[in-house]
Amino acid sequence: MEKLRMGVLGCSGHYSLRVATPLKASLLVAPYAVASRDAAKAGQFAKTWGFQAAYGSYEDLLADPKVDFVYIPLPNHLHLEYIKKSADAGKPVLCEKPLCLNAKEAAEAAAYCEKKGIPLMEAFMYRFHPQWVRAAELVRAGELGKVLSTLGVFTYNNKDGANIRNRADCGGGAVLDIGCYMASTSRLLMGGEPQRVAATLVRDPVFKTDILSSAIFDYGEGRVSTFTVSTQMFPTQTVIACGSGGNLSVEVPFNMFGDVPGRLTVTTSVAKRVVESAVADQYLLLFDAFARSLVERVEVPLPASDAVANMAALDAVFAAAASGGWEKVARY
């Protein structure tokens, strides 16, 4: 079958580092067009990564009738605007996480695309890796019994003031950048939505972005998720699920390599074992899954409603850190 022609908004370093090479193996997606506000930059990016077309504005790319869908790796504060503009152009949207700056914006984006009949999906690549597919299967099968708690840590050390993650005006900060993973894995493993949140948060005195935050998600009946995220800490990532019948940990939960097996450690009353998943690139799986849903004209594998619920949990983190007390998670 003919591949879907993808348009990319922005000459993204993330795309260069993590997406461009895996997509060479895709049977469903062809990088076709890239846009930048700097035409020369777009032209060089296109030459480097094999795009046929390069544009000096995002709007010009969206006007190209050959573009079958759009990938948005733009800074967080531009997501809502270009999700809407993509929908206006009739282009399905795969948008980098977080979908928007807050749940209100995410719900607005989801409703806008739904009204226009345009597929919209948040690009949570980890959900497609075989290690996480297997982890979710083990939880659903009840191998851990009832999941009573999850623990997570996701940190890196980046003090570059010019980096987009350290710019408050662009939606930078730890909670939006990596806290979204903590919220997503918590909701996946706990099998529902948190009722309320307590949190602490520290901001950089110069950047004004949040650089260290810890949170408790209360799911009721004493079931909780706890996590810490930071943009100025030694790099660490781990996720652990603890249940009435066993525990599970994911060795490299998020920045998983595409050339080695994933590893889960599962401990039950029977024994402790290491479960290795197939070697796979989660970005290739993400883009192919989205493209397949377009080709088959079925719902995208991660509905926009999930992104809205995830943002609602993050909104509660900010609210709880500000109030110093428990804050309810809004429902949309």
Side-chain angles (χ1 to χ4, degrees):
M1 59 169 282
E2 187 174 348
K3 296 181 182 181
L4 297 183
R5 295 177 294 265
M6 176 179 65
V8 178
L9 300 185
C11 298
S12 163
H14 170 72
Y15 181 91
S16 300
L17 181 63
R18 301 182 182 91
V19 179
T21 298
L23 274 189
K24 292 179 181 179
S26 177
L27 299 177
L28 297 173
V29 177
Y32 165 70
V34 63
S36 170
R37 290 171 175 171
D38 181 334
K41 184 178 180 180
Q44 183 57 52
F45 196 89
K47 182 179 180 181
T48 300
W49 297 114
F51 290 87
Q52 295 179 38
Y55 292 102
S57 78
Y58 305 140
E59 288 75 13
D60 285 347
L61 183 149
L62 294 175
D64 186 337
K66 292 183 180 180
V67 172
D68 293 314
F69 77 91
V70 170
Y71 171 54
I72 301 179
L74 294 169
N76 297 337
H77 71 298
L78 296 176
H79 287 186
L80 178 60
E81 176 185 356
Y82 282 96
I83 287 172
K84 286 184 171 182
K85 287 184 176 180
S86 297
D88 289 340
K91 313 294 189 187
V93 181
L94 178 63
C95 183
E96 268 304 329
K97 54 77 202 164
L99 190 70
C100 292
L101 294 178
N102 52 56
K104 182 180 178 181
E105 282 193 2
E108 183 180 344
Y112 196 88
C113 288
E114 183 177 12
K115 183 177 180 180
K116 290 185 172 287
I118 297 299
L120 169 65
M121 190 173 92
E122 188 175 32
F124 263 128
M125 75 297 173
Y126 86 90
R127 290 284 295 270
F128 296 89
H129 196 284
Q131 67 176 355
W132 274 103
V133 173
R134 183 59 178 152
E137 288 174 347
L138 293 174
V139 169
R140 285 195 300 269
E143 187 159 345
L144 307 186
K146 186 173 184 178
V147 179
L148 303 175
S149 178
T150 68
L151 303 91
V153 177
F154 196 3
T155 64
Y156 59 82
N157 198 344
N158 183 333
K159 297 179 181 179
D160 177 8
N163 189 282
I164 203 74
R165 294 167 184 81
N166 292 322
R167 290 184 53 184
D169 60 327
C170 295
V175 171
L176 289 180
D177 187 45
I178 47 182
C180 59
Y181 288 99
M182 294 285 91
S184 180
T185 53
S186 167
R187 295 169 48 249
L188 174 65
L189 295 170
M190 297 293 275
E193 303 298 337
Q195 299 175 5
R196 59 178 187 158
V197 173
T200 61
L201 186 148
V202 176
R203 293 188 182 275
D204 185 280
V206 177
F207 304 151
K208 307 304 180 184
T209 54
D210 57 287
I211 59 172
L212 174 62
S213 183
S214 296
I216 303 172
F217 283 8
D218 180 4
Y219 286 84
E221 301 178 336
R223 301 171 66 234
V224 299
S225 287
T226 61
F227 67 80
T228 293
V229 292
S230 176
T231 60
Q232 294 186 17
M233 188 183 291
F234 182 79
T236 301
Q237 53 181 283
T238 186
V239 173
I240 300 172
C242 304
S244 59
N247 299 330
L248 177 153
S249 65
V250 187
E251 186 174 285
V252 186
F254 306 120
N255 298 127
M256 184 55 196
F257 308 102
D259 53 3
V260 296
R263 291 164 59 93
L264 309 175
T265 300
V266 183
T267 305
T268 67
S269 59
V270 176
K272 179 178 180 179
R273 72 187 192 276
V274 175
V275 179
E276 289 195 348
S277 61
V279 176
D281 190 284
Q282 56 192 351
Y283 291 99
L284 174 61
L285 295 174
L286 164 72
F287 280 82
D288 276 358
F290 181 72
R292 189 173 297 108
S293 71
L294 301 183
V295 171
E296 297 177 355
R297 299 182 181 276
V298 297
E299 185 178 11
V300 296
L302 293 180
S305 58
D306 183 79
V308 175
N310 212 56
M311 291 307 306
L314 296 184
D315 285 352
V317 171
F318 286 116
S323 71
W326 288 96
E327 295 290 338
K328 290 184 178 179
V329 179
R331 301 288 181 248
Y332 287 80

